[in-house]
Amino acid sequence: MAPPRPPRPSSQANQPFVPKPFPPPALRGVPEEYIVSQLHRLAPNYWNRPETADCTIIVPCDVARRKTAQPPDPDPLTTGPFSDQNRARSTRDSEPKSNTRRMVLKLHQDYLSAQSTFMRGLLSGTSPLDLSTSSSSSAASALPSISESTPRQPTSPLAAGAFPIHPSRHPRVLPSSSSHHPVVFLPVPDAISLPHLIHYLYFGSFDYMEECLHRGIITWQGIVRNVEFFGMRLELKASLGRYYRQWLKPTARQEISTPDLPMEDSEGEEDSSGSQSEASSGSAASAGRKKPHS
């Protein structure tokens, strides 16, 4: 498959954004799984080359961020689209505090559209509040007819009311976009885990996300909210489901954290029951010995 295209010349900088359908016409009929696998294979060529990015994502973040554990070493989130972000963060630390900060990420549209139904709709020119219909009717009333007429067409989680937010914080393509480089204002449910989700979009591996979950850098609930918000593919949902069953489900957590306690308790019970049985047998024996004299 063709790799993500480099940005167009600056002569198109002031032209309005041209929506980009996915898959592009050249890939019509190609299985989506194959497209995604090729994107993951090419990820090292584009992760560290933000100059080839054709999309800018602006994510507002709360200033009050929880303290996190030490990240893995080496940490991939100090490279690629996050290398400039880390330098910008050190600059902002010396600036006066404001109510919000923001992440500005240079990304590639193909990685977003191929694996997120929400971003696919947004970058193809559809309103994030109504990704499945062009009618002006409410999303709630439109959902049944949509599922009947086009069952495979995704519905925006915003339209479904899953993430009620103020209209000023709705995701949208900003006027500063150029014809082939959209600038997207993108508030998300959990900004802390968004970089880990972006790393997954590029490389398709759950290992780094799992390690950060173990270390307490991100939360399972936070990443799941982002996954639902973006409309991610089933592979990631399955990995998160396995993680929950293995590490977070109450019965699994008890078995993993205290595997020897039942054995220790049972041994104690056996000892106590053994001594009780010995005492009772001894009492019975002595009672038996005393019975003839009674």
Side-chain angles (χ1 to χ4, degrees):
M1 63 166 291
R5 294 190 297 270
R8 298 298 181 92
S10 57
S11 60
Q12 300 176 347
N14 295 326
Q15 298 180 12
F17 168 59
V18 177
K20 179 182 178 182
F22 189 92
L27 294 179
R28 290 286 168 81
V30 178
E32 191 171 294
E33 292 75 12
Y34 177 79
I35 297 175
V36 172
S37 68
Q38 291 302 302
L39 287 171
H40 291 161
R41 183 181 66 83
L42 293 169
N45 297 329
Y46 294 97
W47 179 259
N48 290 310
R49 295 181 61 193
E51 68 274 9
T52 65
D54 60 355
C55 181
T56 299
I57 303 294
I58 300 177
V59 183
C61 309
D62 292 334
V63 172
R65 296 168 61 92
R66 65 175 179 268
K67 294 182 179 180
T68 58
Q70 187 69 22
D73 186 21
D75 185 3
L77 296 189
T78 60
T79 63
F82 300 97
S83 56
D84 292 338
Q85 182 63 33
N86 291 326
R87 287 194 293 270
R89 183 182 298 114
S90 63
T91 302
R92 287 196 303 270
D93 288 340
S94 60
E95 297 176 351
K97 299 296 182 181
S98 60
N99 292 331
T100 58
R101 295 181 180 178
R102 62 180 187 173
M103 286 188 288
V104 180
L105 305 173
K106 303 289 187 180
L107 304 174
H108 300 84
Q109 293 185 56
D110 286 343
Y111 282 91
L112 302 174
S113 296
Q115 301 170 81
S116 164
T117 56
F118 182 81
M119 293 304 299
R120 181 181 303 184
L122 188 63
L123 295 174
S124 65
T126 311
S127 167
L129 291 177
D130 197 6
L131 291 183
S132 295
T133 179
S134 59
S135 66
S136 59
S137 59
S138 65
S141 61
L143 289 179
S145 60
I146 293 166
S147 60
E148 294 172 3
S149 59
T150 54
R152 297 188 61 184
Q153 185 73 9
T155 299
S156 165
L158 287 177
F163 300 95
I165 59 176
H166 192 273
S168 65
R169 293 179 65 86
H170 285 166
R172 58 189 182 274
V173 177
L174 298 177
S176 56
S177 303
S178 63
S179 59
H180 292 278
H181 190 114
V183 179
V184 180
F185 178 69
L186 188 66
V188 297
D190 186 68
I192 293 177
S193 62
L194 178 63
H196 306 77
L197 182 60
I198 292 174
H199 181 269
Y200 178 88
L201 289 175
Y202 274 75
F203 293 94
S205 173
F206 186 68
D207 294 344
Y208 175 68
M209 189 180 295
E210 183 175 24
E211 178 66 20
C212 291
L213 283 167
H214 277 312
R215 291 172 178 254
I217 296 173
I218 57 176
T219 66
W220 186 87
Q221 293 83 355
I223 192 67
V224 165
R225 291 180 68 205
N226 281 344
V227 166
E228 292 299 324
F229 179 86
F230 282 105
M232 296 292 293
R233 292 167 56 84
L234 291 178
E235 291 85 350
L236 179 54
K237 294 181 179 180
S239 296
L240 288 167
R242 286 192 296 269
Y243 184 91
Y244 176 83
R245 290 189 297 271
Q246 182 175 1
W247 298 104
L248 300 178
K249 193 175 180 180
T251 55
R253 184 168 63 249
Q254 292 171 3
E255 293 171 359
I256 293 171
S257 60
T258 57
D260 297 326
L261 289 181
M263 296 178 62
E264 294 174 358
D265 291 341
S266 61
E267 290 175 358
E269 290 174 358
E270 290 175 1
D271 293 341
S272 61
S273 61
S275 60
Q276 290 175 1
S277 61
E278 290 175 0
S280 61
S281 60
S283 300
S286 61
R289 288 193 296 270
K290 292 178 182 180
K291 189 173 183 180
H293 301 286
S294 59

